[in-house]
Amino acid sequence: MTRTRQILVINGGSSSIKFALIRDDQPEAVLTGLAERLGTAEARLRWTGNGSTAEQAIAGADHARALATLLPLVEAAAAGGLTGIGHRVVHGGERFSGACRLTPETLAAIRATSPLAPLHNPANLLGIEAAMAVFPSLPHVAVFDTAFHQTLPARAYRYALPEFLYQEHGVRRYGFHGTSHRYVSQQAIARSGLAEAGSGWLCAHLGNGASTCAIADGRSVDTSMGLTPLEGLVMGTRSGDVDPNLHGHLARTLGWSLPEIDRLLNHESGLLGLSGGLSNDMRTLEQARADGHAGATLAVEVFCYRLAKSLAAMSCALPRLDGLIFTGGIGENSALVRERTVAQLHLLGLRLDAAANARCIRGEQGRIDNGSPSPQIWVIATNEERQIALDTLAVLAATP
Ligand code: ADP
């Protein structure tokens, strides 16, 4: 009898740890939860398992104490034992084109990549170091958001900047959301009935952060995010692409500092900015649009137009177009965004089935095109935790 293997997936933030216990033989997590406000008197641990949710105050707890509190819960839920721990790491630079076993050398390499992701990698490392202290006898694996995009050709990843910025400072396009783009594209290829060899797919991951990806032969060949996750699409509070001279313009005309401009572009723009400050949440905007709110109407319009433009641009990287995938909170739930976006992609031959599109919300997945000759269009729920667990198991199988 084959033994079930179980992986604890950890996503460490600067003051939080998200976790999920994944069994290789079932799609849904056995246990999920969040330790938040770590390092403060309000620190709390919340978890859901077996259909019920519970919560515990862990006042003043840091990452290690939160994980130590979690340990008995995980051990009880993982009766039969844990196989290993998979850690989400945002940036793997050019060093990591796949998941890797965490060793002193790979930890040092992740630390060395921190200048490229100064907010994310140090926070991920906090979670990793705490978990290695609390679970010292288990193998730990890092899975990178950037790794899937390491197959981009130079023409897609190089900026038109002087070469030394790339050679000496790593200034290039890396892309993010790789774990999600990989998971849903593999699902779509498997369900499509079409061969992977020679295939071409477009993918739109639309959550609070949003990016598109072109996938040829199952490999990422272009993506909309770049050196940082700010490039590309309109997002919840991020502007996506703006004129690169905007920084200088705001500094000269308004006297703004770099931190002020960073805050504007990352936290006050996107759907929130376009809707006149109404909301960064697509549900609220759809409702307000239906009630005639001009800012919400504009925000949805710009979001979908920019998304369609990005997908059309991504199609340049593909040998042919087998299909388009929508995923992430907006991609999986907003029939309106899918309809508005696909309507602007008619030159790619994409055609929706209105009834199927309306049906695919709140966990309902499936095909939403109106049949050949349209390329396929899919709504597929992303499951980054499961992909991280599967990658962790693959690394452990290769390096027992
Ligand atoms: P994150 O990137 O933080 O993981 P999610 O993938 O959960 O985010 O996506 C969050 C986005 O999904 C929000 O803009 C939210 O409004 C949107 N969303 C969730 N449910 C719906 C829905 N039923 N209709 C429209 N948008 C939705």
Side-chain angles (χ1 to χ4, degrees), residues 18 177 205-210 236 271 280-284 286 327-335 337 361-362 382 384:
K18 275 193 209 150
H177 291 144
H205 173 106
L206 311 173
N208 280 309
L271 295 172
N280 63 326
D281 191 302
M282 189 56 85
R283 275 165 297 201
T284 309
E286 283 193 18
T327 193
I330 297 172
E332 292 165 32
N333 288 293
S334 178
V337 166
I361 53 171
R362 294 192 197 90
T382 194
E384 289 161 283

Side-chain angles (χ1 to χ4, degrees), residues 19-379:
F19 59 92
L21 179 62
I22 308 287
R23 285 169 60 128
D24 64 349
D25 62 354
Q26 81 184 46
E28 295 310 319
V30 180
L31 178 76
T32 58
L34 171 71
E36 58 186 340
R37 302 200 218 166
L38 296 176
T40 75
E42 287 80 42
R44 302 197 76 73
L45 181 61
R46 281 188 285 126
W47 66 95
T48 303
N50 260 336
S52 65
T53 298
E55 161 160 355
Q56 183 181 335
I58 45 172
D62 59 6
H63 287 67
R65 224 184 90 205
L67 284 169
T69 314
L70 194 64
L71 180 61
L73 286 173
V74 172
E75 283 178 340
L82 277 177
T83 312
I85 307 217
H87 296 272
R88 177 195 180 211
V89 178
V90 166
H91 215 307
E94 287 191 329
R95 167 75 157 69
F96 296 104
S97 55
C100 74
R101 187 82 170 247
L102 283 162
T103 63
E105 290 72 38
T106 53
L107 270 171
I110 294 171
R111 196 163 289 114
T113 308
S114 289
L116 291 171
L119 297 180
H120 291 107
N121 274 27
N124 298 151
L125 284 163
L126 272 178
I128 291 173
E129 280 164 352
M132 290 179 103
V134 174
F135 301 92
S137 57
L138 286 175
H140 293 254
V141 168
V143 180
F144 302 91
D145 278 13
T146 50
F148 183 52
H149 303 302
Q150 278 298 301
T151 45
L152 259 60
R155 69 174 186 211
Y157 73 69
R158 284 292 296 276
Y159 290 114
L161 292 169
E163 194 184 6
F164 79 95
L165 283 173
Y166 168 59
Q167 296 293 354
E168 294 165 36
H169 303 284
V171 175
R172 53 158 281 181
R173 308 182 64 255
Y174 291 95
F176 300 87
H177 291 144
T179 306
S180 176
H181 286 303
R182 187 155 52 98
Y183 179 79
V184 296
S185 59
Q186 285 172 2
Q187 292 277 322
I189 291 167
R191 293 189 208 180
S192 67
L194 304 172
E196 181 174 283
S199 66
W201 287 82
L202 294 172
C203 184
H205 173 106
L206 311 173
N208 280 309
S211 67
T212 56
C213 186
I215 298 143
D217 279 325
R219 290 200 298 270
S220 173
V221 286
D222 204 351
T223 189
S224 61
M225 284 179 167
L227 174 70
T228 76
L230 184 59
E231 187 175 332
L233 304 179
V234 173
M235 311 186 208
T237 61
R238 291 183 218 147
S239 61
D241 291 342
V242 290
D243 186 324
N245 272 329
L246 181 64
H247 276 77
H249 178 77
L250 294 176
R252 273 191 308 276
T253 57
L254 302 176
W256 286 13
S257 65
L258 271 182
E260 283 170 325
I261 299 169
D262 274 356
R263 195 176 65 239
L264 173 94
L265 296 177
N266 285 286
H267 301 296
E268 296 164 3
S269 299
L271 295 172
L272 179 67
L274 278 167
S275 65
L278 179 67
S279 179
N280 63 326
D281 191 302
M282 189 56 85
R283 275 165 297 201
T284 309
L285 295 176
E286 283 193 18
Q287 187 56 54
R289 176 182 181 273
D291 297 339
H293 189 288
T297 306
L298 179 70
V300 172
E301 206 58 27
V302 178
F303 183 90
C304 296
Y305 179 60
R306 290 268 298 273
L307 171 59
K309 274 207 323 191
S310 175
L311 289 166
M314 287 292 140
S315 73
C316 297
L318 297 179
R320 64 165 195 249
L321 184 57
D322 289 307
L324 163 64
I325 307 154
F326 287 99
T327 193
I330 297 172
E332 292 165 32
N333 288 293
S334 178
L336 173 71
V337 166
R338 296 189 302 244
E339 189 270 312
R340 301 290 311 136
T341 304
V342 171
Q344 292 168 101
L345 288 169
H346 55 93
L347 290 181
L348 293 185
L350 291 157
R351 300 283 187 275
L352 271 185
D353 177 304
N357 184 41
R359 204 166 46 240
C360 283
I361 53 171
R362 294 192 197 90
E364 192 68 37
Q365 310 181 47
R367 237 181 110 171
I368 59 169
D369 57 273
N370 73 357
S372 186
S374 170
Q376 297 189 7
I377 308 176
W378 285 84
V379 175

